Amino acid sequence: MPRALDAPSFSTSRFRAEREGDWIAFDRLLTRLEKKGAKGLSSEELLQLPVLYRATLSSLSIARATSLDKALLDHLEALSIRGYFLVYGVRESRWSRLRRFFLYDWPAAVRAVWKETVVIALIILLGALTSYSLVSSNPEWYYNFVDEGMASGRDPRASAEYLQSTLGQGEAAAGKGESGLHIFATYLFTHNSRVSILSFALGFAFGVPTMMLEFYQGIGLGAMMAVFSAKGLGVDFGGWLFIHGTTELFAAALAGAAGLRIGAAVVFPGARGRLEAAAAAGRTAGKVMIGVILMLLAAGLLEGFGRQLITDTMLRYAIGTLMLLLWLAYYYIPRRGDAA
């Protein structure tokens, strides 16, 4: 019998019978993805999506090459386009990305630099202990650590009454108008943000300037603590510092940790090139720094408003402790759906 009279060796019905199962499965997964999002699919089903997408594209390519019926071509084209946008297209809205950043990306980035955070925290503590010890043994050291403008009279020569008043609990504080608090808060936010960004930016130089800057932050803190402690105001000064300091110093440690992460990647790139290692570290450090600026904003509000309006020392300690616990819980308590 002539071949022209034979049944076609590659008919639409045979083509459909061999591949239709994949199209149906792909269509069902896409429908669930549209209705419920990625959470509506299991891990195995998510892995199947790109496989079925490629199988559908392959079917479409063959159907076009062999000129199968138009209805089938239209169906495969529509399924392929739909699959492209759902599998590879950008489906996250801005709100969704923002939500993901605060819920997962930011805490995950902070956890990724936990070792660097511990190192920077110890450096700040070492700076504070060094200056505290030196100033306690010889008050003249104070003038080497804190410049006159920053001290504003809070030095070893000041009386206990004056020092008490600078803590927002005396006559000097009572004379300050509350209307200027927002200006004060803005100044503190700007200053602390600048120092933290500098600490982060200097990280590329092998992390050395970052560690020096963080040590210097501890130096000023310890020197001031020594002056107030010598006048019997150590507890009051601690409360004055604590209400905003737990947030601010935590942010400073994270900024230093972000810089140190980049410096460590430059020094120890591992199997990757230095630029590649630094770029990878920079992506994590960048997420940390976005969060640091938000933390400093919170610290600025606590310092500019909370500390000025709340004068009870124990309440200051309580607020500072609560803020610290909140930050620790936010960053370090694992949660479902964490991103690296």
Side-chain angles (χ1 to χ4, degrees):
M1 184 177 290
R3 184 175 178 81
L5 298 178
D6 285 340
S9 59
F10 195 76
S11 64
T12 299
S13 58
R14 180 181 170 189
F15 179 75
R16 181 186 288 275
E18 289 177 349
R19 299 169 181 263
E20 192 171 26
D22 287 344
W23 309 339
I24 294 173
F26 189 44
D27 182 58
R28 286 176 178 168
L29 290 181
L30 291 181
T31 301
R32 286 168 56 194
L33 189 61
E34 289 169 334
K35 291 181 177 178
K36 301 180 180 179
K39 292 181 180 178
L41 303 181
S42 65
S43 300
E44 291 76 13
E45 289 171 332
L46 287 172
L47 292 175
Q48 284 179 352
L49 270 175
V51 176
L52 294 173
Y53 173 66
R54 288 192 291 272
T56 303
L57 284 182
S58 173
S59 298
L60 176 61
S61 177
I62 294 172
R64 283 173 172 167
T66 54
S67 302
L68 295 178
D69 67 79
K70 186 174 184 306
L72 180 60
L73 276 172
D74 291 343
H75 173 67
L76 290 175
E77 284 178 352
L79 190 60
S80 298
I81 293 172
R82 187 169 154 227
Y84 173 80
F85 283 107
L86 285 172
V87 175
Y88 297 108
V90 179
R91 298 186 304 277
E92 268 195 320
S93 64
R94 290 181 182 178
W95 168 248
S96 230
R97 290 198 295 273
L98 193 63
R99 177 178 173 275
R100 166 158 287 280
F101 174 77
F102 282 106
L103 282 181
Y104 304 112
D105 294 351
W106 178 16
V110 169
R111 285 198 298 278
V113 297
W114 73 268
K115 292 180 182 176
E116 291 87 348
T117 305
V118 171
V119 170
I120 294 297
L122 290 176
I123 289 174
I124 295 174
L125 181 61
L126 178 63
L129 291 176
T130 300
S131 59
Y132 182 88
S133 175
L134 289 172
V135 174
S136 295
S137 61
N138 182 3
E140 290 300 317
W141 275 102
Y142 180 84
Y143 302 102
N144 295 320
F145 298 144
V146 182
D147 63 58
E148 191 172 348
M150 181 177 291
S152 300
R154 295 172 296 182
D155 56 42
R157 295 168 299 190
S159 66
E161 290 72 19
Y162 176 77
L163 292 177
Q164 179 78 46
S165 70
T166 65
L167 298 177
Q169 298 167 323
E171 294 179 357
K176 295 179 179 177
E178 293 182 3
S179 60
L181 292 182
H182 66 285
I183 299 175
F184 184 49
T186 302
Y187 164 76
L188 292 173
F189 170 70
T190 305
H191 172 75
N192 293 334
S193 298
R194 187 181 299 123
V195 171
S196 294
I197 291 173
L198 185 62
S199 179
F200 163 70
L202 292 176
F204 76 93
F206 312 120
V208 175
T210 296
M211 290 187 283
M212 293 175 63
L213 190 59
E214 297 293 342
F215 183 80
Y216 182 74
Q217 283 199 341
I219 284 284
L221 180 65
M224 195 72 79
M225 174 63 85
V227 168
F228 280 84
S229 296
K231 305 292 182 179
L233 297 171
V235 173
D236 291 334
F237 178 76
W240 177 86
L241 176 69
F242 221 67
I243 188 171
H244 76 283
T246 52
T247 297
E248 183 177 310
L249 291 176
F250 201 163
L254 290 179
L260 197 58
R261 165 58 68 97
I262 295 177
V266 173
V267 178
F268 307 108
R272 297 174 294 185
R274 280 193 164 78
L275 283 178
E276 185 183 354
R283 285 191 287 274
T284 299
K287 292 176 185 174
V288 173
M289 283 307 296
I290 293 174
V292 164
I293 297 302
L294 296 177
M295 287 183 73
L296 288 175
L297 177 60
L301 292 174
L302 285 169
E303 190 169 12
F305 291 90
R307 192 175 69 185
Q308 309 302 316
L309 300 175
I310 298 173
T311 57
D312 182 82
T313 297
M314 290 301 108
L315 186 54
R316 286 175 169 177
Y317 273 110
I319 293 174
T321 302
L322 178 63
M323 290 303 300
L324 178 60
L325 293 176
L326 287 175
W327 290 121
L328 290 174
Y330 174 65
Y331 288 133
Y332 299 110
I333 290 181
R335 64 208 68 182
R336 189 178 178 184
D338 269 353

